[in-house]
């Protein structure tokens, strides 16, 4: 059926069509690998000529008669637009706008990659298209700010070497390294195409004696926000005691507004908060101690075995970058090269 829109929508829509065509034109030059989708271009070009199908009213600025009285207001040149069926994918102006936005993002990703310049094999391995998109999103799609943020992360990774951390430790430095280790391990096991994760943090039995030192809290949040942007989908703090709220008021000053919006307090006796958590974590796989239906019992020895296997997988992944240190941790422990293993699900032992 013909799609009808008012004057303002038609003008904006035609601008979007023209903008989309420019994106497609530029993208074909910069991204030859995307030529499979170039067939959409002809439909966009045809859509740009939609104004030839639009019935026009009297010329702008001329008077019109309504009930015998003059109306001095100018009549829009496009009182209505009829968007004829052009292609299955282009069924509405909204679809065109989404297509334009998608191509715009592809161009920004290409621009960011160009701005970074030549990269080492290891950095090239890290700076995937999905990675570049996360940094752009974290900096509101500003290429200059995204480049600066990503370059800082590459420097940090070069000195901190998070991919070389292994199953270990306790001190201030050890706690932060363990946090980084858990993040790297979780990223390694994300399903293909998934960039974000859900965090469930158990505060059952927490006291002020367990409170993280301010130095550790500040450094942890800095690492999470600056070097793992847009990795967090949502976080659930499970059963935090009242005293924790005081501690959290101090800690949250280190969090940016976007991160704060993702943090949710969940209480086993609060049905509404539990419903929210169950929207993100299937009760069938959630352990019973967190309000789920899974009777799995945590076995630290079995979990440790899974982590050691993932250490080997991580070494194999980074060995593909052909660096000298991909198979050694920061303490010099050798990790043998092996064929990459299939993904392991830590939840089997957690």
């Amino acid at each position: 059926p013909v799609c009808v829109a008012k004057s303002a929508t038609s003008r904006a829509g035609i601008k979007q069509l023209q903008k989309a065509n420019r994106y497609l034109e530029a993208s074909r030059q910069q991204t030859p690998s995307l030529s499979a989708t170039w067939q959409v271009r002809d439909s966009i070009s045809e859509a740009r000529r939609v104004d030839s199908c639009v019935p026009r009213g009297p010329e702008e600025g001329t008077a019109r008669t309504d009930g015998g009285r003059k109306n001095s207001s100018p009549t829009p040149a496009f009182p209505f637009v009829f968007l004829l069926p052009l292609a299955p994918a282009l069924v509405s102006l909204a679809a065109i706008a989404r297509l334009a936005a998608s191509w715009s993002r592809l161009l920004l990703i290409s621009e960011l990659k160009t701005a970074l310049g030549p990269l080492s094999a290891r950095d090239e391995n890290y700076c995937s298209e999905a990675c570049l998109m996360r940094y752009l999103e974290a900096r509101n799609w500003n290429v200059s700010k995204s480049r600066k943020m990503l370059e800082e992360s590459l420097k940090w990774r070069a000195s901190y070497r998070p991919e070389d951390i292994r199953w270990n430790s306790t001190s201030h430095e050890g706690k932060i390294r363990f946090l980084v280790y858990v993040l790297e391990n979780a990223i390694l096991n994300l399903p293909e195409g998934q960039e974000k994760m859900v965090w469930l943090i158990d505060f059952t039995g927490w006291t002020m004696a367990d409170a993280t030192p301010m130095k550790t809290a500040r450094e942890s949040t800095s690492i999470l926000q600056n070097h793992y942007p847009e990795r967090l989908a949502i976080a659930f703090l499970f059963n935090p005691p009242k005293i924790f709220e005081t501690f959290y008021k101090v800690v949250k000053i280190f969090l940016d507004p976007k991160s704060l919006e993702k943090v949710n307090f969940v209480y086993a006796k609060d049905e509404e908060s539990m419903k929210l958590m169950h929207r993100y974590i299937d009760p069938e796989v959630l352990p019973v101690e967190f309000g789920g239906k899974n009777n799995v019992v945590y076995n630290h020895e079995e979990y440790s075995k899974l982590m050691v296997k993932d250490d080997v997988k991580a070494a194999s992944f980074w060995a593909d970058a052909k660096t000298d240190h991909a198979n050694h941790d920061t303490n010099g422990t050798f990790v043998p090269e092996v064929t990459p293993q299939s993904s392991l699900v830590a939840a089997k032992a957690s």
Side-chain angles (χ1 to χ4, degrees):
V2 172
C3 175
V4 182
K6 290 186 178 180
S7 172
T9 305
S10 69
R11 290 172 177 171
I14 290 173
K15 286 183 179 179
Q16 288 286 3
L17 296 176
Q18 295 169 337
K19 188 176 181 181
N21 192 44
R22 288 196 297 271
Y23 286 145
L24 289 167
E25 189 73 50
S27 297
R28 183 169 69 165
Q29 301 298 324
Q30 295 190 22
T31 320
S33 62
L34 296 174
S35 58
T37 62
W38 187 249
Q39 56 187 338
V40 179
R41 192 265 185 192
D42 292 335
S43 298
I44 294 289
S45 298
E46 182 66 23
R48 291 182 64 190
R49 295 193 290 272
V50 70
D51 60 324
S52 65
C53 304
V54 177
R56 297 174 181 268
E59 292 300 319
E60 287 194 28
T62 61
R64 59 177 293 181
T65 304
D66 185 4
R69 291 183 301 169
K70 289 280 186 176
N71 181 354
S72 59
S73 300
T75 302
F78 298 94
F80 296 98
V81 59
F82 297 90
L83 181 62
L84 303 179
L86 302 173
L90 305 178
V91 295
S92 68
L93 293 176
I96 299 295
R98 288 194 296 271
L99 180 63
S102 176
W103 279 95
S104 176
R105 290 183 176 186
L106 285 173
L107 288 178
L108 290 173
I109 290 171
S110 177
E111 186 179 341
L112 176 57
K113 189 166 186 177
T114 301
L116 287 171
L119 298 172
S120 67
R122 177 170 289 225
D123 288 348
E124 187 75 37
N125 208 24
Y126 178 74
C127 293
S128 63
E129 183 176 296
C131 172
L132 300 181
M133 185 176 292
R134 286 189 295 102
Y135 278 82
L136 282 164
E137 187 176 353
R139 288 296 177 264
N140 200 28
W141 300 92
N142 182 299
V143 174
S144 178
K145 292 180 179 179
S146 302
R147 178 184 60 79
K148 182 178 179 181
M149 183 186 191
L150 183 49
E151 287 177 342
E152 288 300 318
S153 287
L154 293 177
K155 290 177 183 177
W156 174 79
R157 294 185 70 87
S159 61
Y160 204 84
R161 306 194 69 80
E163 67 274 17
D164 292 338
I165 302 173
R166 297 294 176 257
W167 184 236
N168 65 3
S169 110
T170 54
S171 63
H172 154 76
E173 179 63 17
K175 287 180 179 179
I176 294 178
R177 291 184 68 78
F178 180 72
L179 171 64
V180 171
Y181 169 80
V182 170
L183 281 170
E184 292 285 320
N185 182 275
I187 292 168
L188 186 69
N189 285 290
L190 283 174
E192 185 175 355
Q194 182 176 326
E195 291 295 309
K196 298 188 179 185
M197 59 191 81
V198 176
W199 296 355
L200 172 57
I201 306 171
D202 186 13
F203 281 88
T204 303
W206 188 92
T207 68
M208 285 302 290
D210 302 309
T212 302
M214 284 298 108
K215 177 184 177 183
T216 304
R218 183 170 56 253
E219 187 171 342
S220 297
T221 53
S222 174
I223 289 174
L224 292 173
Q225 292 177 155
N226 295 325
H227 305 310
Y228 294 91
E230 297 303 320
R231 281 297 189 187
L232 177 63
I234 193 168
F236 296 108
L237 311 187
F238 187 78
N239 272 351
K242 283 292 181 182
I243 189 65
F244 175 77
E245 294 180 11
T246 302
F247 176 74
Y248 182 68
K249 287 179 181 178
V250 177
V251 172
K252 73 179 185 179
I253 65 175
F254 303 129
L255 299 175
D256 63 48
K258 287 182 68 176
S259 297
L260 277 174
E261 290 177 359
K262 299 175 182 179
V263 177
N264 294 268
F265 285 63
V266 177
Y267 301 92
K269 296 181 180 180
D270 184 334
E271 187 175 344
E272 289 304 312
S273 66
M274 291 300 293
K275 283 182 180 179
L276 175 63
M277 185 167 71
H278 289 163
R279 283 171 51 192
Y280 290 87
I281 306 176
D282 187 347
E284 295 296 330
V285 300
L286 189 65
V288 291
E289 57 264 36
F290 300 121
K293 300 177 181 179
N294 192 340
N295 288 308
V296 66
V297 177
Y298 175 72
N299 184 310
H300 188 71
E301 183 179 349
E302 290 300 316
Y303 184 77
S304 295
K305 290 179 181 178
L306 289 176
M307 295 301 98
V308 171
K309 288 181 179 179
D310 273 1
D311 286 349
V312 175
K313 183 168 69 171
S316 297
F317 175 81
W318 289 103
D320 292 340
K322 299 179 181 179
T323 57
D324 293 335
H325 305 285
N327 295 311
H328 296 78
D329 70 7
T330 53
N331 295 320
T333 304
F334 180 72
V335 181
E337 289 190 19
V338 297
T339 303
Q341 303 294 313
S342 59
S343 296
L344 299 170
V345 182
K348 290 180 181 178
S350 63

